[in-house]
Amino acid sequence: MAEELKSVKLSTPWIPYVSNVTADYVTDASQVAELLKQQVSSPVQFTQSIERMIADGVDTFIEISSFVRKIDRNVKVYNIEKPEDLDRVMEELAC
């Protein structure tokens, strides 16, 4: 993955995201490649990442797994299993 990332131009995220590696927000493009490399070769902090976002006021999640509800049943979760599901979620969220 490290070799592939060398040929990819990464831009500064226009929306900060929480890295599963650190459970911290990423706002700088220079961090992205290293964090992606670590994510596939290191333990991740998924629970801590979700808890961090909830503590910061995030109350709605779109996911392709079903882990968020196990962490906090009070947040709204949309599960995406097939392309049509994404269309439905986008409509419901008026995106």
Side-chain angles (χ1 to χ4, degrees):
M1 177 146 181
E3 285 304 311
E4 288 298 319
L5 285 170
K6 287 179 183 177
S7 65
V8 175
K9 181 182 183 317
L10 298 169
S11 301
T12 299
W14 57 277
I15 297 174
Y17 71 92
V18 176
S19 166
N20 280 341
V21 176
T22 62
D24 288 322
Y25 287 93
V26 177
T27 59
D28 184 351
S30 68
Q31 298 173 298
V32 175
E34 182 58 34
L35 289 168
L36 286 171
K37 287 187 289 188
Q38 289 179 27
Q39 184 166 326
V40 298
S41 62
S42 305
V44 295
Q45 298 184 38
F46 185 78
T47 300
Q48 295 89 340
S49 297
I50 298 300
E51 288 171 342
R52 170 81 185 265
M53 289 185 280
I54 292 169
D56 290 341
V58 174
D59 63 0
T60 303
F61 294 84
I62 301 171
E63 67 174 339
I64 57 173
S65 62
S66 59
F67 296 121
V68 174
R69 190 160 313 281
K70 293 176 184 175
I71 296 168
D72 189 324
R73 294 181 107 14
N74 296 313
V75 295
K76 177 106 177 151
V77 176
Y78 295 95
N79 290 93
I80 305 296
E81 295 178 9
K82 53 191 180 293
E84 302 82 49
D85 294 340
L86 182 57
D87 294 337
R88 177 186 46 79
V89 170
M90 297 290 283
E91 273 183 36
E92 192 167 326
L93 294 175
C95 295

